[in-house]
């Protein structure tokens, strides 16, 4: 195995493929030391101009309370006319738009590539849909506060951070989950809501075959009664209660006097434990006794779920599927699960185990994973060495291919397998995009401020993907540089490329079977 | 020769008969290869009790103080079907089909598997093997393989960018883009570009096959839709995308006799919170669904006679509304079938009722008709498959307990 082949494998699997010079850098650093740096990315800083670009994204510096006040129900209540309200709702789109922009820029430019892959992985594991009501205003903060800080840390910290984040509380309805006979049970907070409790076990921890019953779902829902949103108490921000779970509008409720609404709204966007809606009885979850004592019951339940052997297996399986193979070898999964159990869910340690496995380093597995739309588009921007200031062409392709960031409606998140993403229409769209990118016809270096209409968060249907219309004026991609960046191409592709018209050559590389895989 | 005649001519060639079919049921006797099935999966578990409303039952109204659909004579009331059940008022567009006898409902239908996980339940409904996770392919792919037709790149169409589980399997399925993109030209239409890329994808591997299928179906779909769309809507996108996509399908079927199977998945039914009653969230989803289905039926014209449209969802929702004016994951649901050969204007299956003693696990509508029976009835009665073929597509499905297609 050549150093270049292994370097390419690492760049493809741990990250989003090589940028110019990356393979030399990995080979020179040494594969193991490079992996080590990726597992401890604190010293890997973003390029200055990218950091400066990201620093301009104002909503990414705002707390959930601040975006709630500025774009959520409190702002809508103060609007003087339907037009003003509409205007606020339009402006609220900036929150997911900036989150998308930041995610794409980091994936393209961050030297901490593994960290960016893991943001993709964990966001999907703890998926939240940006177009569900108030999640629009919290989506950026969710990734920044609940996901990013923990992607290489302890699983239990990630679990706890997502459990208490307003975006998750709202997405899976737990903010309304109420003990039916509690003093605070009234209005829209009358009874149990099992939604989060079920997904917490089925998707976030144990897995559907992880050995829990419908009784466990109900018990866990009771444990989590009162885990709610600020500005709630027993009543919660009423406008939020009326938000349409899958729609575009946040309706305004005027049943409460303005002063009271204002006071409630001020605290929106924070986690609170609403004691007066909690079920204080003793409970048994998965055979473990949980003494009724309030918020601590939920923490105990999260401890129990995070340390459960089924969770270790499930997380190891999913990580191995993401990094090794669609159907990961059992020995790899077992090794990862053992590390998970031994280290109390240390994610970096589990990954170190997976990356050290012979199955991961076997050249027969190189360049065999079909790229998800996100990996395809980001890897193409990296390999072509393009200057990316405008994220919209990339986002347009993601919409066309059915993987818009923050747009997965269901809590299981986007899948990472070939079966999920390889289809005839997707292939023609990838090739169409490759042709535009290679010819310099995507407006990648234009400032986003010059761009028309922002992306609609979560919109799965923006069929034309206006951003893909050929109107950019970038330098065409140089095919020799591209091939050098990738550390070579297959014989078959090379044969086609060398006989093709010069202006099609780079497109043929970016649209080749080699580049569809990683 | 009109397209209709041409198709009929081809059909005659295949069947070796000179009978000219006329009238509604005449087509039922035509060659099996000309039968079409459109499946619409409502992902997220639609609340069937508010779709087909048991308005004659007090227990229904007791369980749903804020979200029940009122009785037919009342404001916002259900549209009466048979004196016991009524249709959600937002679905008025389907009533003409109920009245002309081409729309049938099967309440209390669903999966024999008890799961209340969306993902498992959808998986089972798409694999056609409830309780068995190891099934690799989807039942519509098995159906595609079993169809007695010469398969083309557009025999099976999946609307949307990704191939769903129900179509997973060895036979190739075309994915049709949603919305207007379906009719837009692409650079690969240019011969010089086309020729260069074709050389990269000459193999029999999965990528090469997908590439070739994609290009071929793009060309066919574009050709069929382009002229028609320019004329029909003058470039204005439809306000509702399902309606638009359903209309695309109707056009494709009219243009291309080789379309036999189509699949749509629609989301947004998981109404845990503020579900609404006659108006509101669920009503806002049901209206475009019903209008899209009615538009598909109308758009098909005479081809409606040879088409069955099956609507299903992974499970029903709790009989009782929850504390958030919504409903949680339940069990039994409603399925419905439309089409020229459907034994419609009728509620099928056994209704277990909503009294406490009749409920599944004391909370949900019971399942009295296996969802596979409903599909099997359509495959046997409408698609004209043999019992052996049906058993291959839906292994272990109960048969004969329900008859949804006219003899």
């Amino acid at each position: 195995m050549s150093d270049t082949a292994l370097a390419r494998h690492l760049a493809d699997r741990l990250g989003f493929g090589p940028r110019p010079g990356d393979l030399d850098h990995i080979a020179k650093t040494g594969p193991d030391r490079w992996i080590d740096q990726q597992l401890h990315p604190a010293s890997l800083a973003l390029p200055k101009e990218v950091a400066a670009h990201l620093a301009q994204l104002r909503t990414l510096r705002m707390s959930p309370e601040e975006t709630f006040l500025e774009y959520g129900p409190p702002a809508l209540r103060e609007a003087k006319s339907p037009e003003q309200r509409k205007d606020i709702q339009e402006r609220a789109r900036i929150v997911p738009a900036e989150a998308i922009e930041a995610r794409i820029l980091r994936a393209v430019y961050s030297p901490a590539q593994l960290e960016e892959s893991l943001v993709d992985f964990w966001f999907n594991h703890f998926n939240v849909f940006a177009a569900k009501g108030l999640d629009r205003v919290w989506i950026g903060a969710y990734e920044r506060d609940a996901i990013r800080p923990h992607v290489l840390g302890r699983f239990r910290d990630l679990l706890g951070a997502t459990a208490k984040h307003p975006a998750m509380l709202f997405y899976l309805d737990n903010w309304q989950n109420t003990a039916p006979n509690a003093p605070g049970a009234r209005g829209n907070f009358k009874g149990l809501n099992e939604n989060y409790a079920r997904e917490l076990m089925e998707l976030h921890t144990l897995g559907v075959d992880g050995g829990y019953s419908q009784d466990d779902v109900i018990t866990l829902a009771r444990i989590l009664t009162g885990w709610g949103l600020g500005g709630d108490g027993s009543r919660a921000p009423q406008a939020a209660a009326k938000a349409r779970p899958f729609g575009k509008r946040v309706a305004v409720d005027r049943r409460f006097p303005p002063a009271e609404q204002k006071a409630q709204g001020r605290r929106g966007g924070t986690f609170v434990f609403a004691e007066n809606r909690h079920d204080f009885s003793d409970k048994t979850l998965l055979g473990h006794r949980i003494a009724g004592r309030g918020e601590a019951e939920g923490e105990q339940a999260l401890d129990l779920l995070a340390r459960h052997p089924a969770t270790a297996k499930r997380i190891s399986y999913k990580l191995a599927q993401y990094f090794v193979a669609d159907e990961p070898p059992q020995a790899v999964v077992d090794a990862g699960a053992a590390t998970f159990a031994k280290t109390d869910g240390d994610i970096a340690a589990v990954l170190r185990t997976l990356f050290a496995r012979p199955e991961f380093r076997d050249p027969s597995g190189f360049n065999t994973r079909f790229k998800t739309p996100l990996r395809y588009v980001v890897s193409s921007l990296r390999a072509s060495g393009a200057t990316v200031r405008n994220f919209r062409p990339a986002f347009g392709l993601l919409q066309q291919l059915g993987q818009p960031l923050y747009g997965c409606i269901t809590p299981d998140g986007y899948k990472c397998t070939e079966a999920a993403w390889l289809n005839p229409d997707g292939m023609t769209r990838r090739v169409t995009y490759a042709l535009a990118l290679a010819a310099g016809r995507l407006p990648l270096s234009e400032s986003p401020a010059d761009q028309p209409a922002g992306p609609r968060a979560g919109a799965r249907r923006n069929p034309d993907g206006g951003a893909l219309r050929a109107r950019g004026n970038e330098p065409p991609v140089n095919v020799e540089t591209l091939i050098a960046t990738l550390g070579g191409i297959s014989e078959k592709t090379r044969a086609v490329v060398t006989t093709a018209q010069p202006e099609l050559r780079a497109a043929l590389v970016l649209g080749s079977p080699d580049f569809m895989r990683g | 020769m009109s397209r209709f005649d041409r198709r009929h001519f081809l059909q005659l060639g295949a069947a070796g008969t000179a009978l000219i079919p006329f009238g509604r049921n005449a087509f039922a006797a035509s060659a099996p290869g000309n039968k079409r099935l459109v499946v619409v999966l409502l992902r997220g578990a639609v609340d069937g009790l508010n779709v087909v409303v048991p308005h004659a039952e007090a227990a229904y109204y007791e369980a749903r103080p804020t979200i029940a659909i009122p009785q037919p004579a009342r404001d916002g009331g259900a549209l009466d079907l048979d004196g016991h059940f009524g249709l959600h008022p937002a679905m008025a567009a389907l009533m003409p089909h109920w009245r002309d006898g081409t729309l049938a409902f099967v309440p209390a239908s669903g999966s024999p598997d008890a799961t209340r996980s969306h993902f498992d339940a959808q998986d089972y409904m798409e694999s056609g093997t409830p309780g068995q996770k190891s099934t690799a392919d989807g039942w519509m792919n098995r159906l595609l393989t079993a169809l007695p037709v010469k398969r083309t790149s557009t025999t099976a169409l999946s609307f949307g960018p990704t191939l769903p589980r129900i179509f997973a399997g060895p036979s190739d399925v075309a994915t049709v883009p949603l919305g207007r993109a379906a009719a837009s030209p692409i650079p690969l239409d240019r011969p010089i570009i086309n020729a260069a890329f074709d050389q990269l994808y000459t193999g029999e591997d999965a990528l090469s096959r997908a590439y070739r299928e994609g290009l071929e179906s793009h060309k066919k779909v574009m050709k069929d839709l382009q002229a028609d769309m320019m004329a029909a809507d003058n470039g204005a996108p439809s306000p509702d995308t399902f309606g638009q996509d359903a209309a695309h399908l109707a056009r494709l079927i009219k243009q291309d006799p080789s379309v036999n199977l189509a699949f749509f998945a629609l989301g947004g039914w998981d109404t845990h919170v503020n579900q609404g009653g006659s108006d509101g969230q669920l009503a806002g989803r049901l209206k475009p669904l019903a209008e899209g289905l009615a538009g598909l039926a109308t758009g098909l014209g005479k081809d409606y006679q040879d088409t069955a449209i099956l609507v299903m969802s992974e499970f029903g929702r709790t009989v009782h509304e929850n504390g958030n004016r919504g409903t949680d994951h339940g069990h039994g649901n409603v399925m419905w079938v439309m089409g020229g050969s459907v034994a419609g204007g009728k509620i099928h299956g056994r209704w277990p009722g909503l009294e406490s003693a009749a409920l599944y696990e004391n909370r949900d509508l019971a399942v009295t008709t296996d969802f596979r029976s409903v599909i099997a009835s359509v495959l046997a009665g409408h698609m004209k498959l043999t019992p052996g073929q049906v058993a291959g597509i839906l292994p272990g499905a109960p048969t004969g307990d329900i008859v949804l297609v006219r003899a």
Side-chain angles (χ1 to χ4, degrees):
Chain A
M1 164 187 17
S2 77
D3 288 355
T4 310
L6 180 60
R8 169 76 190 275
H9 178 61
L10 294 178
D12 279 348
R13 292 293 169 88
L14 273 65
F16 291 86
R19 274 179 52 79
D22 278 4
L23 299 189
D24 284 347
H25 170 73
I26 295 171
K28 237 179 269 166
T29 309
D32 291 307
R33 208 173 128 228
W34 187 78
I35 290 173
D36 206 54
Q37 288 172 355
Q38 292 294 314
L39 288 167
H40 301 96
S43 61
L44 301 174
L46 280 170
K48 262 193 206 126
E49 55 280 27
V50 179
H53 184 141
L54 294 180
Q56 290 166 19
L57 304 179
R58 192 179 68 97
T59 63
L60 290 184
R61 299 194 307 270
M62 293 167 75
S63 68
E65 298 97 299
E66 288 167 338
T67 51
F68 181 80
L69 276 177
E70 184 161 339
Y71 301 109
L76 292 167
R77 277 194 293 267
E78 279 168 29
K80 304 273 187 297
S81 65
E83 289 73 31
Q84 270 189 20
R85 273 204 292 280
K86 207 166 163 228
D87 185 54
I88 292 165
Q89 286 160 356
E90 286 291 318
R91 286 196 294 117
R93 288 185 184 179
I94 187 133
V95 183
E98 290 192 339
I100 291 164
E101 184 167 4
R103 173 82 84 84
I104 291 176
L105 285 174
R106 284 176 188 273
V108 173
Y109 285 113
S110 174
Q113 283 283 291
L114 176 61
E115 185 175 47
E116 294 308 311
S117 287
L118 288 168
V119 168
D120 173 45
F121 175 86
W122 288 118
F123 191 98
N124 282 305
H125 184 80
F126 292 105
N127 186 49
V128 160
F129 176 46
K132 175 170 175 173
L134 278 170
D135 278 325
R136 168 163 300 179
V137 307
W138 291 327
I139 197 76
Y142 177 68
E143 179 171 311
R144 178 194 64 205
D145 300 336
I147 304 288
R148 261 181 196 284
H150 308 293
V151 296
L152 279 158
R154 293 216 174 264
F155 179 74
R156 174 64 178 85
D157 293 339
L158 194 49
L159 189 65
T162 56
K164 290 188 167 176
H165 199 280
M168 183 61 83
L169 289 163
F170 188 80
Y171 175 57
L172 289 177
D173 306 320
N174 200 75
W175 70 290
Q176 293 183 308
N177 181 21
T178 300
N181 299 318
R186 69 184 101 138
N188 280 325
F189 297 84
K190 259 201 297 242
L192 283 187
N193 190 309
E194 303 167 7
N195 203 12
Y196 175 64
R198 178 185 305 281
E199 309 305 6
L200 177 55
M201 290 197 284
E202 178 181 332
L203 297 174
H204 298 171
T205 58
L206 306 179
V208 71
D209 299 318
Y212 61 90
S213 64
Q214 173 64 22
D215 283 347
D216 287 317
V217 173
I218 292 171
T219 303
L220 184 54
R222 286 167 53 214
I223 288 169
L224 293 169
T225 46
W227 283 47
L229 289 173
D232 162 6
S234 64
R235 256 186 309 225
Q238 289 296 316
K242 289 195 74 179
R244 304 175 179 215
F246 314 103
K248 293 144 192 105
R249 278 182 292 152
V250 176
V252 178
D253 187 289
R254 295 190 197 75
R255 281 176 297 180
F256 288 89
E260 192 181 343
Q261 287 177 353
K262 209 165 176 174
Q264 287 182 10
R266 291 267 177 255
R267 283 153 51 219
T270 51
F271 168 80
V272 295
F273 176 69
E275 222 176 72
N276 64 347
R277 295 195 287 109
H278 183 70
D279 176 343
F280 277 91
S281 63
D282 292 342
K283 304 163 189 91
T284 304
L285 178 69
L286 299 163
H288 294 259
R289 199 186 115 84
I290 296 199
R293 60 194 190 289
E295 187 182 343
E297 295 167 46
E299 298 291 352
Q300 189 186 343
L302 293 178
D303 287 344
L304 190 63
L305 293 171
R307 292 189 178 133
H308 198 285
T311 300
K313 272 189 217 149
R314 176 171 162 74
I315 299 302
S316 175
Y317 179 90
K318 283 193 73 179
L319 284 168
Q321 186 180 56
Y322 190 92
F323 289 104
V324 183
D326 282 3
E327 289 175 20
Q330 191 59 44
V332 175
V333 177
D334 290 346
T339 303
F340 189 100
K342 201 171 63 200
T343 61
D344 197 15
D346 180 338
I347 297 162
V350 175
L351 290 170
R352 189 185 296 283
T353 298
L354 299 183
F355 298 152
R357 294 288 305 185
E359 294 91 335
F360 175 74
R361 302 202 179 200
D362 181 347
S364 71
F366 292 3
N367 198 237
T368 52
R369 296 217 61 206
F370 187 67
K371 289 174 182 172
T372 65
L374 181 68
R375 300 196 89 75
Y376 179 73
V377 74
V378 173
S379 65
S380 71
L381 295 173
R382 287 175 62 79
S384 64
T387 302
V388 183
R389 290 194 196 92
N390 174 18
F391 66 98
R392 287 200 172 86
F395 187 69
L397 182 69
L398 293 178
Q399 281 187 311
Q400 288 188 3
L401 294 177
Q403 197 187 22
L405 288 165
Y406 314 113
C408 180
I409 192 166
T410 53
D412 51 342
Y414 291 124
K415 296 186 171 55
C416 65
T417 56
E418 176 168 323
W421 298 111
L422 175 59
N423 65 73
D425 181 54
M427 288 298 288
T428 52
R429 287 175 184 275
R430 287 181 191 213
V431 169
T432 301
Y433 163 89
L435 282 156
L437 171 63
R441 283 186 281 110
L442 300 178
L444 293 168
S445 65
E446 281 178 24
S447 152
D450 304 335
Q451 295 292 309
R456 293 175 44 210
R460 295 189 79 127
R461 300 176 167 204
N462 177 16
D464 325 337
L468 283 189
R469 289 220 188 92
R471 53 190 189 74
N473 189 22
E474 317 280 331
V477 176
N478 179 298
V479 69
E480 294 310 326
T481 314
L482 176 64
I483 292 172
T485 298
L486 296 174
I489 49 175
S490 70
E491 282 311 310
K492 181 174 178 181
T493 299
R494 179 177 292 282
V496 174
V497 167
T498 44
T499 56
Q501 290 197 351
E503 64 270 24
L504 286 181
R505 288 180 186 170
L508 285 162
V509 174
L510 293 169
S512 68
D514 317 20
F515 197 76
M516 299 287 169
R517 298 190 180 277
Chain B
M1 194 184 277
S2 75
R3 206 203 57 73
F4 172 70
D5 289 336
R6 188 181 72 236
R7 241 194 69 218
H8 177 57
F9 177 77
L10 294 173
Q11 179 185 313
L12 289 184
T17 162
L19 285 176
I20 309 280
F22 277 112
R24 188 163 87 189
N25 293 319
F27 283 85
S30 61
N34 283 338
K35 298 300 182 180
R36 268 171 246 101
L37 176 63
V38 179
V39 175
V40 179
L41 177 58
L42 308 179
R43 293 192 193 277
V46 70
D47 180 26
L49 287 171
N50 273 14
V51 172
V52 173
V53 180
H55 64 71
E57 292 193 36
Y60 169 75
Y61 292 99
E62 282 157 19
R64 300 184 160 207
T66 72
I67 63 165
I69 307 300
Q71 292 187 310
R74 297 170 190 266
D75 205 23
L79 309 168
D80 188 46
L81 294 171
D82 68 346
H84 189 91
F85 292 101
L87 192 60
H88 192 292
M91 302 177 77
L94 292 180
M95 284 306 283
H97 300 284
W98 172 261
R99 285 191 291 265
D100 75 11
T102 63
L103 168 61
F105 293 100
V106 191
S109 53
S111 177
D113 191 272
T115 184
R116 289 190 182 89
S117 150
H118 289 300
F119 317 103
D120 275 358
Q122 287 175 27
D123 196 59
Y124 294 152
M125 200 160 252
E126 295 183 73
S127 70
T129 59
Q132 278 184 40
K133 292 193 176 168
S134 55
T135 309
D137 49 6
W139 68 262
M140 286 190 80
N141 200 288
R142 295 197 293 276
L143 168 61
L144 173 60
T145 309
L147 284 181
V149 298
K150 186 178 179 328
R151 290 202 294 279
T152 74
S153 65
T154 48
T155 300
L157 303 177
S158 175
F159 282 74
T162 54
L163 197 66
R165 174 80 163 93
I166 202 165
F167 264 140
S171 294
D172 288 329
V173 174
T175 48
V176 180
L178 299 173
R180 295 188 57 78
S184 310
I186 58 174
L188 278 170
D189 293 327
R190 287 164 55 194
I192 200 157
I193 295 177
N194 192 343
F197 274 92
D198 280 359
Q199 292 177 62
L200 289 173
Y201 293 101
T202 53
E204 280 310 310
D205 57 298
L207 262 67
S208 296
R209 281 194 5 229
Y211 166 87
R212 293 196 299 267
E213 285 288 320
L215 206 51
E216 196 180 328
S217 71
H218 160 77
K219 284 175 179 164
K220 279 177 91 165
V221 168
M222 189 176 65
K223 191 164 142 273
D224 289 342
L225 288 180
Q226 214 165 22
D228 215 8
M229 284 179 63
M230 298 292 184
D233 56 27
N234 200 22
S238 155
D240 167 60
T241 46
F242 173 62
Q244 189 179 17
D245 295 326
H248 277 179
L249 175 62
R251 287 191 193 111
L252 286 169
I253 287 175
K254 290 180 82 165
Q255 302 282 341
D256 182 352
S258 73
V259 176
N260 284 105
L261 304 178
F263 176 78
F264 292 93
L266 305 176
W269 309 99
D270 197 14
T271 48
H272 286 277
V273 175
N274 284 315
Q275 175 174 317
S278 303
D279 301 307
Q281 191 196 141
L282 179 61
R285 308 283 308 169
L286 290 174
K287 189 167 191 289
L289 170 65
E291 288 173 354
L293 292 169
L296 175 58
T298 312
L300 283 170
K302 285 177 178 155
D303 289 317
Y304 182 60
Q305 293 301 329
D306 283 336
T307 305
I309 305 165
L310 171 67
V311 184
M312 58 191 197
S313 189
E314 67 265 30
F315 44 67
R317 308 190 69 84
T318 45
V319 172
H320 287 262
E321 68 179 70
N322 65 18
N324 311 135
R325 297 170 205 264
T327 45
D328 290 322
H329 301 182
H331 194 51
N333 205 348
V334 65
M335 295 169 77
W336 67 95
V337 189
M338 293 169 70
S341 64
V342 170
K346 191 181 161 199
I347 302 286
H348 291 260
R350 186 177 73 78
W351 175 248
L354 297 179
E355 297 304 326
S356 309
L359 298 183
Y360 176 76
E361 295 185 350
N362 293 319
R363 55 180 253 166
D364 301 330
L365 177 62
V367 170
T368 58
T369 303
D370 190 313
F371 77 91
R372 293 170 301 172
S373 300
V374 176
I375 301 169
S377 171
V378 173
L379 297 187
H382 170 75
M383 301 300 282
K384 305 291 177 197
L385 298 184
T386 65
Q389 287 173 317
V390 174
I393 294 163
L394 296 168
T399 50
D401 54 344
I402 189 163
V403 179
L404 288 164
V405 178
R406 291 172 205 279

